[in-house]
Amino acid sequence: MARTRSVALVGVTGRTVEVEADVGNGLAGIHLIGLPDTALSEARDRVRSAMVNSNYPWPDARIIVSLFPASLPKRGSQFDLAIAMAILGAAGVVPAERIAEPFFLGELGLDGRIRAVRGVLPSVLGAAKHGDVTVVVPAANSAEAVLVPDVKVVPVAHLRQLVEWLRKGDDPPKPETDECPEPPKPAAKPDNIDLADVVGQPVARRALEVCAAGGHNLWMLGPPGTGKTMLAERLPTLLPNLELDHALEVTAIHSVAGALPSSAPMMSRPPFVSPHHTATSAAIIGGGSTIVRPGAVSLAHRGVLFMDEAPEFPRHVLDALRQPLESGRVTVSRSAGSVTFPARFMLILAANPCPCAQAEDQGGTCRCTPMTRRRYLGRLSGPLLDRIDMKVTVARSTRRELLADRQFVETSETVAERVLVARERAAKRLAGTPWRSNAEIPSSVLHADYRPSAEAMHPMTSCLDSGTLTARGLDRVVRVAWTLADLADKDVPSQDETNAALSFWLGVES
């Protein structure tokens, strides 16, 4: 009998799984127990072919492989290598004590090659909870695995390579292709996208800067051709690089989703996700019949989720955003269990004023009735818009306005410097708390510790009394006011900041 260890993924959390193999008397065959799914049940044939084609004997005996804890569902092919090691240890091919402590991750090819698998980073993070551990991973996943500190990563490309190392006890094997690379440096911002490309929308550009500085949500309403999509695509260029713990979170989510580019094992820049309006609720929120995958809201974690032509999305899909916008996470429930993914993102909505998208001003030919317009924009429900911090109307600019605005256009680098200073002010103010931006401050703490003066609150309390502003909207306005104060290098928001924040929430130009 021999045992080793592997990792099962529950969402983006790694859970340790002990893999035990017993080779004994009885009718020859292999039995896999411990709630395996279809892909894992097929590991019996992959492991046998890989061992035989690597010139290792397959035990002519009754083999029982147990995956503990038995109540935890196991999915995927990343257990192949651990199962093979447990069988080889029970058969005496490799010393059983050499495989007891390391974690083994990888899918086996029929010829013995060890193939890359999804979710290596969160798996190694789960293994790292046990302290100073050794993790054996496919060579193709080595750049992703070395991102976790204080873990000894052993990259292997073939089953024979791994077995010989365990037999001899020499230095860890080197991949047959490239050596294990150094941890990557932060990625540079894209050069071909710059805020200076947008001319003629000073209010929208200012709103974008405020969103970047405080992590706020934005709704842009206007006819096509006014720069809504260009503005949204340039928001990530205003954001600073992700901090290490945030970068690991984002990279782990993309690794589980299989969306991690091989050229960039560490995602150090905030992600930008723009789903098509035909996307289903499962594609936006997350889901799956057997293996639950993260959706667009989780792929946009610590970044931007841009929904262009927002009224074209099904209403139930849009309303599904309400819960993650409040909690910063999303829970997907299926028959096999519930999985929680992180989903703290900036939501950017863009919409045309009517289905025909023709502006009434400047010679437009819109013939939509008021009822048609209300029905079209009514797809964005009131509770969803109540969670949007800022609302901006983007109108078409005349040639004279475009020419006059060119001298006031700023590059992304210039604006990003102001954003970074504002974020540093907020981080200093929030030091010692789990929050790092104004948008993350919960309502109870916001009004207890960060409530502006009575004079500054007067415009908001007046709207609250008249019913123009909801209690949730009040929280949004106060958060934006703090961001405006950070950008203005003020210690606390004054009435100027609260007036401007209230105008942004109401969608009225101040």
Side-chain angles (χ1 to χ4, degrees):
M1 182 175 174
R3 64 168 54 90
T4 187
R5 296 190 289 182
S6 188
V7 179
L9 285 177
V10 181
V12 291
T13 303
R15 298 276 300 274
T16 300
V17 173
E18 289 190 5
V19 181
E20 299 175 314
D22 179 33
V23 178
N25 297 327
L27 185 63
I30 178 172
H31 305 275
L32 197 62
I33 57 177
L35 288 184
D37 70 342
T38 302
L40 184 52
S41 298
E42 294 172 349
R44 295 173 291 187
D45 298 321
R46 289 194 299 270
V47 170
R48 175 170 182 158
S49 297
M51 288 177 55
V52 171
N53 291 327
S54 299
N55 297 324
Y56 297 116
W58 179 259
D60 187 16
R62 185 172 182 263
I63 304 172
I64 298 178
V65 178
S66 173
L67 306 176
F68 175 85
S71 59
L72 178 68
K74 289 81 175 181
R75 301 181 177 90
S77 57
Q78 68 269 21
F79 297 98
D80 287 6
L81 192 58
I83 293 173
M85 287 298 103
I87 294 175
L88 288 170
V93 178
V94 297
E97 63 275 7
R98 290 294 308 278
I99 65 172
E101 293 301 323
F103 288 79
F104 294 90
L105 302 169
E107 177 182 338
L108 284 173
L110 299 183
D111 57 354
R113 285 183 295 177
I114 301 176
R115 305 181 184 275
V117 293
R118 294 181 176 183
V120 165
L121 177 60
S123 298
V124 178
L125 286 171
K129 296 177 182 177
H130 295 269
D132 187 15
V133 297
T134 300
V135 183
V136 180
V137 301
N141 292 125
S142 58
E144 183 181 346
V146 297
L147 298 175
V148 182
D150 303 325
V151 172
K152 182 180 179 181
V153 177
V154 180
V156 289
H158 198 280
L159 181 62
R160 174 168 288 279
Q161 182 186 29
L162 176 59
V163 171
E164 294 305 315
W165 168 60
L166 292 172
R167 279 177 166 178
K168 298 176 182 178
D170 298 331
D171 293 334
K174 298 293 184 181
E176 296 179 358
T177 54
D178 298 328
E179 294 188 355
C180 184
E182 295 291 331
K185 299 179 180 180
K189 297 179 182 179
D191 297 329
N192 58 337
I193 296 181
D194 198 284
L195 188 61
D197 300 333
V198 183
V199 181
Q201 299 296 345
V203 176
R205 292 202 306 268
R206 173 63 174 171
L208 215 64
E209 179 180 349
V210 177
C211 286
H216 305 293
N217 305 319
L218 174 65
W219 179 36
M220 292 181 288
L221 177 66
T226 53
K228 301 188 297 296
T229 302
M230 290 182 65
L231 286 162
E233 290 175 345
R234 280 145 184 80
L235 178 56
T237 65
L238 309 182
L239 300 174
N241 287 332
L242 296 172
E243 299 178 17
L244 179 59
D245 55 342
H246 290 175
L248 289 176
E249 283 181 0
V250 173
T251 305
I253 294 171
H254 285 250
S255 176
V256 170
L260 191 64
S262 57
S263 59
M266 169 74 93
M267 294 192 63
S268 56
R269 292 292 304 154
F272 179 81
V273 180
S274 180
H276 193 263
H277 60 77
T278 58
T280 63
S281 179
I284 300 297
I285 300 302
S289 56
T290 55
I291 300 178
V292 179
R293 301 293 185 193
V297 295
S298 298
L299 294 176
H301 181 59
R302 302 294 178 186
V304 179
L305 176 64
F306 175 49
M307 305 187 76
D308 200 3
E309 307 293 345
E312 300 294 340
F313 283 83
R315 180 160 182 167
H316 71 277
V317 173
L318 293 172
D319 285 340
L321 299 172
R322 288 151 53 179
Q323 184 260 340
L325 282 174
E326 288 291 331
S327 63
R329 61 183 181 273
V330 60
T331 300
V332 181
S333 299
R334 294 292 184 268
S335 58
S338 298
V339 177
T340 299
F341 294 107
R344 187 168 295 282
F345 55 91
M346 284 185 285
L347 177 63
I348 309 297
L349 300 176
N352 295 320
C354 61
C356 74
Q358 296 294 326
E360 284 187 333
D361 58 347
Q362 301 177 11
T365 58
C366 176
R367 296 183 178 179
C368 297
T369 64
M371 179 61 71
T372 302
R373 294 182 182 182
R374 285 197 299 269
R375 188 182 297 114
Y376 182 71
L377 294 179
R379 299 176 187 176
L380 301 176
S381 65
L384 175 61
L385 293 180
D386 203 34
R387 290 168 169 83
I388 303 300
D389 308 57
M390 307 171 66
K391 306 172 184 69
V392 175
T393 300
V394 184
R396 289 177 178 172
S397 302
T398 64
R399 181 175 64 89
R400 183 174 297 178
E401 291 172 340
L402 292 174
L403 292 175
D405 191 55
R406 288 189 182 275
Q407 58 181 326
F408 301 105
V409 170
E410 294 177 308
T411 63
S412 292
E413 183 179 1
T414 302
V415 179
E417 291 176 359
R418 295 199 298 266
V419 169
L420 182 60
V421 172
R423 287 209 168 211
E424 289 174 350
R425 285 181 61 88
K428 183 178 180 180
R429 183 173 61 251
L430 298 172
T433 70
W435 316 295
R436 304 186 190 181
S437 65
N438 295 321
E440 298 178 12
I441 305 175
S443 177
S444 58
V445 179
L446 186 69
H447 293 287
D449 301 332
Y450 302 103
R451 187 179 179 88
S453 64
E455 181 183 359
M457 290 289 293
H458 179 69
M460 293 178 283
T461 54
S462 298
C463 291
L464 196 62
D465 293 337
S466 64
T468 309
L469 187 66
T470 64
R472 182 188 291 115
L474 176 66
D475 296 343
R476 302 281 175 178
V477 174
V478 173
R479 294 186 183 109
V480 174
W482 272 106
T483 301
L484 290 170
D486 291 333
L487 288 169
D489 200 18
K490 294 183 179 180
D491 293 333
V492 293
S494 65
Q495 193 167 357
D496 293 337
E497 282 73 41
T498 54
N499 270 324
L502 182 60
S503 298
F504 272 128
W505 191 86
L506 295 173
V508 179
E509 294 187 14
S510 58

